[in-house]
Amino acid sequence: MKRYYLLWILLGILYPNMKGQVPANSPLGNVKKIEVSHSTYTFLTTNGRAQVTVYSPGVIRIRVAHQAFAPDFSYAVEVKPEACHVQVTDAKGLYTISTDSVTLRITKDPLRFTFLTKTGEVINADDPAFGTSWLGEEVTTYKTLQPGERFIGMGEHGGNLDRAGTACVNYNTDNPEYDDASDRMYSTIPFYMGLHDHLAYGIFMDNSSRSLFSFGAGSNRFDYFRASCGEMNYYFIYHSTVKGIIGSYTWLTGRTPIPPIWSLGYQQCRWCYFPEADLLSTAAKFRERHIPIDMIYLDINYMDHYKIFTWDPNRFPDPKAMTGKLQKMGMHLAVIIDPGVKIAKNYPVYQQGVDSSLFIKYPDGTNYAGQVWPGWCNFPDFTMPKTRAWWGRWVKTYADEGVTGFWNDMNEIAVWGKEVPDLLNLNWDGLHTTYRQAKNVYGFQMARSTYEGAKKYMDGKRPFVLSRSGYSGLQRYTAIWTGDNQAKEDHMLLGVRLINSLGLSGVTFAGMDVGGFSGNPTQSLYTRWMEIGAFLPMYRAHTTINSNREEPWDFGETCEDIARRYIGFRYQLLPYIYAGFYESSQDGMPLNRSLAINYTNDSTIYDPEFQQEYLFGPSILVAPVKGTESLCRVYLPEGNWYDLFNDKPYAGKQVIVANSELNRLPLYVKAGSIIPMQKLVESTADNSGDTLFINLYEGQQPNQYRYYEDDGTTYKYESGHYYKRLISYDPQQAMLTFGKKEGSFTSRFHVITLVLHGFTPEEVQHLTVNGAAKTVTPEEIRFFTSHFAFADYGPFDTKHVLSVSFPDNDNEMQVHW
Ligand code: MIG
């Protein structure tokens, strides 16, 4: 004992300042005082303060700070608290705040939060010892791990669908070497959902500084989320379903506006098509070979010395004439725009940026310079309103030349040497901050500037914006892709999981480089990837500069044929995909729906073997499989299913062995589904005929489907210029009802062909439409009807389907059988 004592004295002499140098965990402390104003409850504690704000019955915000709260500002959240019914009790040691859907129990000594259902079940609780506390500037909220708790969400992070036992770092990074285990990715969505005991909740930590979410990684005691500086600021969301939580999260952070329809077609990219003749001949080849396509891209080599908002005068002498030629082919052009502005004399973008003080600065007032493709560059401060407006005017110069797609890359910010110093000053919409807080929103604000400019200057036409980096809320302005993946089977499946996870996190419009960015895919990998791509929200093939050419015809005739048919099928499916985007714009439901959305409590869907399966829209189950596997195991969740290729029925809640030969991606349709389709076209600019094909799959459960259509290219839908109708299927009454149309838009279609799947001829022989008898004709098809892309195709089983056609009059119509 005595010896130890001496040792401490000795250590004290050797390291006199050790105590206090590295801060210990500093808790929030006990409640001293409570202040209430409107829907906000402030708790002053011995070591700081916390604030509770009720945003809606299921959304409660918690802020925690040492000192007075900073001005309330967020790039992610746009809504204000809604007036709602709240009940409060204040007893010794315990305060409760109850809405109609959740009770927040607040202990005072020390201050801790527990969220409960109205029947008293614990949804989510602070760790009793640590709650929210600080380690130096870092602020962390520790939550008790619930038994069997699963965690989903967090946007663009690899790993399993269920993130239990792992952690995610949010620090936007250009990571061309990323793989499944990488913690640094290109975008930040600090939002997850916890699932346990048939309960589900969401937590969105709106703090854009570097953060870490640990879902029981390295500790079986708690999960936690930590921000490296600033306030703890999170929204707790409770709802009985995952869908409801996504709905609330996207109520807070916004939803994807309906994209221009052409951006939902096939998109071809490469680093880089040049000169102009290469771009145009590539585009023409798609047309010659009847491979449907709507968009083609230019990567960085179109510019003059990589100077943004310029064109290489030799490679692209007349951009406007060029986009005109593409337009004649029914195609749109997207160009890449990086944030770095080359420091160069007589370059107006640079000159204006300097003269009007639009760039990011060091604290001493000099412009920050970093090196990237153009050499040394300055970087626009997109957190400054003036910079955003200026940027928009430069975007106009492209729009004036007929460019309609704007691809924002390198906006993490990526520079040679990787590290952009934290001390840089950013405007932060007048509130001023450093790069520490701004980094993760930089790409988001760049995409916003691009979108706002394009929207303003495109004569009422919808632009398409694609960004690599982003933060919660990015979905209001831009689509996103998952950066530099590799031409490997694993990366194809990883990409599906990333897109599914983005979908769980409010980002509907997402894609990956089909074919893989780096490396050269094998025939089978490329083919399979093209198949999966047809069932992703954004369908874009892209590859790096030193890879082989990767257009559909570069892999031999078989691959080309398969690619053509899957792309074609996507075009036929556009009415369904478009309506899916409409739905997403209303409630945030993604196109790629991880099975965790609809089958949350089915443990099999989290099995690593099945975790990448998803529903594409409400009805089509996609089971992604490697190109090398010609047989695979597929899990069909609860309900009844049909093989999409041959209508073979399957009962759900079982694993089946599926045919996954190279031309056959396992695809299943949920019983009771209503899927609108159109005839095969090669561009969305083509005439899609007068017939809407409504595919009805017999089922036991009633189903409703909202069909939606508008002009596909303008914002007139915002003022009611759309066509919307509810289609209801009632199996008990043997009836399909087309509701009266809503909106002022006239549908492209005026004939409905009802294609009946899973029905027997006897069942529908007395079919009537509005009381008038109709003959149901059996059509011999291989896929849906003989008009469709997979018709007469390879090994698909021949099948008779039943169909009946009738004119549409926009009023309520009843089909009875
Ligand atoms: O330093 O513009 O992720 O899609 O082709 C690489 C060239 C910069 C990275 C993007 C990639 C793009 C490439 N870019």
Side-chain angles (χ1 to χ4, degrees):
M1 208 48 211
K2 209 171 181 186
R3 276 194 199 156
Y4 279 106
Y5 191 61
L6 281 174
L7 185 71
W8 294 132
I9 292 178
L10 207 74
L11 275 172
I13 292 165
L14 284 173
Y15 303 103
N17 294 322
M18 201 164 96
K19 186 166 172 267
Q21 233 183 23
V22 176
N25 192 59
S26 159
L28 193 48
N30 296 345
V31 175
K32 295 278 155 212
K33 198 177 165 207
I34 303 172
E35 291 166 358
V36 179
S37 91
H38 303 107
S39 50
T40 298
Y41 307 81
T42 306
F43 300 83
L44 302 168
T45 69
T46 35
N47 193 27
R49 64 198 62 214
Q51 198 172 67
V52 176
T53 307
V54 176
Y55 269 63
S56 74
V59 179
I60 297 178
R61 178 182 180 192
I62 309 276
R63 296 174 80 183
V64 177
H66 263 313
Q67 309 293 332
F69 292 106
D72 192 15
F73 176 76
S74 167
Y75 284 109
V77 175
E78 288 199 320
V79 292
K80 297 270 169 276
E82 257 178 12
C84 60
H85 177 237
V86 176
Q87 263 186 316
V88 170
T89 66
D90 188 359
K92 191 172 181 295
L94 185 70
Y95 199 87
T96 66
I97 300 172
S98 298
T99 71
D100 290 343
S101 75
V102 65
T103 297
L104 173 54
R105 193 170 69 200
I106 303 161
T107 57
K108 297 181 189 171
D109 302 322
L111 179 61
R112 298 284 179 264
F113 299 109
T114 301
F115 296 92
L116 305 157
T117 64
K118 299 305 281 182
T119 53
E121 298 153 290
V122 173
I123 311 166
N124 175 266
D126 281 357
D127 178 273
F130 307 123
T132 297
S133 43
W134 291 269
L135 263 180
E137 260 199 277
E138 287 181 354
V139 62
T140 307
T141 296
Y142 299 89
K143 298 285 190 182
T144 305
L145 269 174
Q146 302 297 330
E149 190 162 7
R150 297 182 191 281
F151 299 91
I152 58 174
M154 295 304 294
E156 190 189 43
H157 281 285
N160 290 328
L161 168 60
D162 176 5
R163 301 192 178 284
T166 68
C168 300
V169 171
N170 295 305
Y171 192 70
N172 292 354
T173 300
D174 174 11
N175 187 355
E177 247 82 71
Y178 83 79
D179 61 22
D180 189 54
S182 300
D183 58 4
R184 285 189 183 193
M185 297 293 286
Y186 302 90
S187 64
T188 291
I189 318 269
F191 166 66
Y192 72 90
M193 286 172 271
L195 315 168
H196 63 89
D197 302 296
H198 290 71
L199 295 172
Y201 67 90
I203 285 185
F204 167 44
M205 182 181 74
D206 188 12
N207 180 320
S208 61
S209 70
R210 182 191 184 121
S211 61
L212 180 102
F213 283 65
S214 169
F215 301 108
S219 158
N220 62 0
R221 171 171 175 170
F222 46 57
D223 55 288
Y224 63 87
F225 38 98
R226 174 179 90 199
S228 60
C229 59
E231 290 172 9
M232 176 49 66
N233 174 27
Y234 72 90
Y235 295 79
F236 173 83
I237 302 171
Y238 175 62
H239 198 280
S240 57
T241 62
V242 167
K243 175 181 174 171
I245 296 167
I246 297 174
S248 293
Y249 170 74
T250 54
W251 171 68
L252 285 170
T253 61
R255 298 178 180 130
T256 306
I258 308 169
I261 185 131
W262 44 266
S263 66
L264 304 179
Y266 177 69
Q267 313 181 355
Q268 181 66 46
C269 192
R270 176 178 178 77
W271 179 13
C272 174
Y273 296 119
F274 69 81
E276 177 187 298
D278 182 30
L279 182 87
L280 291 174
S281 69
T282 305
K285 241 181 178 165
F286 276 89
R287 292 290 173 249
E288 283 155 23
R289 292 171 173 261
H290 299 289
I291 301 171
I293 185 171
D294 265 71
M295 281 183 75
I296 194 158
Y297 282 68
L298 285 174
D299 206 321
I300 50 177
N301 307 75
Y302 77 90
M303 292 178 269
D304 177 16
H305 294 88
Y306 302 118
K307 288 190 297 224
I308 54 169
F309 303 115
T310 70
W311 297 86
D312 181 317
N314 300 315
R315 291 172 177 169
F316 296 92
D318 191 348
K320 191 152 193 187
M322 179 179 71
T323 57
K325 285 177 192 155
L326 287 171
Q327 205 191 345
K328 280 214 183 82
M329 289 190 246
M331 285 172 71
H332 286 257
L333 178 67
V335 299
I336 200 168
I337 312 171
D338 290 350
V341 175
K342 187 177 175 65
I343 298 174
K345 289 221 174 70
N346 304 320
Y347 171 37
V349 184
Y350 166 70
Q351 213 52 58
Q352 291 170 8
V354 171
D355 294 348
S356 306
S357 207
L358 303 169
F359 295 139
I360 299 177
K361 291 187 170 49
Y362 285 106
D364 67 3
T366 56
N367 288 330
Y368 164 67
Q371 221 178 351
V372 67
W373 290 107
W376 289 99
C377 291
N378 292 148
F379 294 84
D381 180 357
F382 293 109
T383 69
M384 178 150 58
K386 196 166 74 165
T387 303
R388 291 198 292 268
W390 164 80
W391 181 264
R393 289 191 294 277
W394 278 105
V395 169
K396 177 180 189 295
T397 62
Y398 280 155
D400 288 347
E401 280 156 333
V403 175
T404 50
F406 307 90
W407 173 23
N408 289 178
D409 188 20
M410 306 295 271
N411 49 1
E412 290 75 26
I413 304 171
V415 292
W416 303 162
K418 295 200 185 329
E419 298 298 334
V420 175
D422 267 352
L423 55 45
L424 302 176
N425 284 340
L426 281 99
N427 181 269
W428 207 251
D429 278 64
L431 293 169
H432 304 285
T433 191
T434 65
Y435 189 64
R436 244 180 127 187
Q437 188 182 17
K439 175 185 181 55
N440 284 342
V441 302
Y442 185 83
F444 169 30
Q445 291 307 298
M446 178 189 184
R448 170 191 177 183
S449 309
T450 304
Y451 179 80
E452 287 176 345
K455 182 175 177 184
K456 185 165 175 189
Y457 297 115
M458 276 175 59
D459 294 329
K461 292 270 163 57
R462 293 176 223 169
F464 168 72
V465 178
L466 176 62
S467 179
R468 193 170 69 177
S469 182
Y471 181 75
S472 292
L474 71 94
Q475 66 270 17
R476 302 197 298 267
Y477 307 105
T478 184
I480 197 166
W481 94 103
T482 59
D484 297 344
N485 59 3
Q486 298 163 34
K488 294 180 181 158
E489 302 271 1
D490 285 354
H491 270 255
M492 177 172 70
L493 300 183
L494 165 59
V496 170
R497 258 175 294 122
L498 291 173
I499 294 168
N500 291 352
S501 180
L502 283 160
L504 287 168
S505 317
V507 180
T508 294
F509 205 3
M512 60 172 142
D513 289 355
V514 168
F517 179 70
S518 57
N520 296 306
T522 60
Q523 271 185 345
S524 61
L525 176 59
Y526 174 82
T527 307
R528 183 71 90 213
W529 219 325
M530 287 296 280
E531 295 172 1
I532 293 173
F535 300 91
L536 296 176
M538 184 183 92
Y539 188 9
R540 185 183 81 142
H542 180 44
T543 184
T544 187
I545 192 159
N546 45 23
S547 67
N548 300 335
R549 293 288 291 213
E550 283 176 30
E551 286 87 49
W553 48 85
D554 294 319
F555 295 85
E557 240 174 74
T558 308
C559 298
E560 179 181 347
D561 192 41
I562 296 172
R564 180 186 296 107
R565 288 174 191 271
Y566 276 80
I567 297 175
F569 186 69
R570 180 177 179 97
Y571 275 77
Q572 297 185 287
L573 210 51
L574 278 174
Y576 171 80
I577 296 172
Y578 197 69
F581 271 94
Y582 165 73
E583 185 187 354
S584 187
S585 74
Q586 301 300 299
D587 65 7
M589 270 294 264
L591 260 282
N592 266 47
R593 300 179 183 179
S594 159
L595 297 185
I597 297 179
N598 288 301
Y599 309 95
T600 315
N601 299 312
D602 180 346
S603 60
T604 310
I605 63 126
Y606 301 96
D607 185 321
E609 190 182 358
F610 306 118
Q611 63 178 349
Q612 39 256 317
E613 290 183 16
Y614 63 99
L615 285 176
F616 184 59
S619 300
I620 301 175
L621 185 139
V622 183
V625 51
K626 292 177 178 172
T628 44
E629 285 170 24
S630 56
L631 276 179
C632 70
R633 277 155 51 88
V634 173
Y635 179 64
L636 295 175
E638 188 179 18
N640 291 303
W641 301 86
Y642 293 90
D643 183 324
L644 184 134
F645 293 101
N646 56 22
D647 283 359
K648 188 172 170 203
Y650 289 94
K653 246 187 169 340
Q654 64 160 332
V655 175
I656 62 165
V657 174
N659 172 1
S660 56
E661 281 165 44
L662 191 55
N663 57 8
R664 192 151 174 172
L665 177 66
L667 296 164
Y668 302 86
V669 180
K670 199 199 276 178
S673 290
I674 296 160
I675 302 181
M677 291 179 71
Q678 66 181 28
K679 80 166 219 217
L680 178 59
V681 292
E682 290 181 32
S683 157
T684 60
D686 287 355
N687 184 334
S688 46
D690 65 353
T691 304
L692 181 67
F693 296 85
I694 297 288
N695 294 275
L696 175 66
Y697 286 82
E698 187 177 43
Q700 310 296 308
Q701 304 298 323
N703 186 25
Q704 291 202 318
Y705 180 79
R706 196 169 296 279
Y707 177 75
Y708 177 89
E709 197 186 319
D710 62 26
D711 64 28
T713 56
T714 76
Y715 288 92
K716 287 185 195 150
Y717 68 88
E718 288 177 348
S719 43
H721 202 52
Y722 52 73
Y723 174 101
K724 202 161 71 175
R725 87 195 306 187
L726 193 66
I727 308 177
S728 312
Y729 171 41
D730 184 341
Q732 271 65 51
Q733 303 295 317
M735 198 159 79
L736 187 70
T737 309
F738 292 80
K740 187 176 166 18
K741 83 132 179 181
E742 297 162 52
S744 63
F745 185 73
T746 307
S747 172
R748 288 178 282 152
F749 309 109
H750 28 270
V751 174
I752 291 174
T753 293
L754 181 62
V755 185
L756 297 155
H757 301 260
F759 293 83
T760 63
E762 295 71 42
E763 271 179 289
V764 293
Q765 62 182 330
H766 300 302
L767 184 139
T768 60
V769 177
N770 288 338
K774 288 271 169 190
T775 319
V776 178
T777 56
E779 259 185 274
E780 192 183 329
I781 63 143
R782 291 175 194 276
F783 185 77
F784 283 359
T785 85
S786 52
H787 312 290
F788 287 131
F790 291 133
D792 305 317
Y793 182 46
F796 302 134
D797 320 328
T798 304
K799 174 90 175 117
H800 293 279
V801 286
L802 303 166
S803 73
V804 57
S805 297
F806 45 89
D808 181 13
N809 60 15
D810 291 348
N811 292 318
E812 183 173 300
M813 292 190 297
Q814 287 188 345
V815 182
H816 216 299
W817 56 88

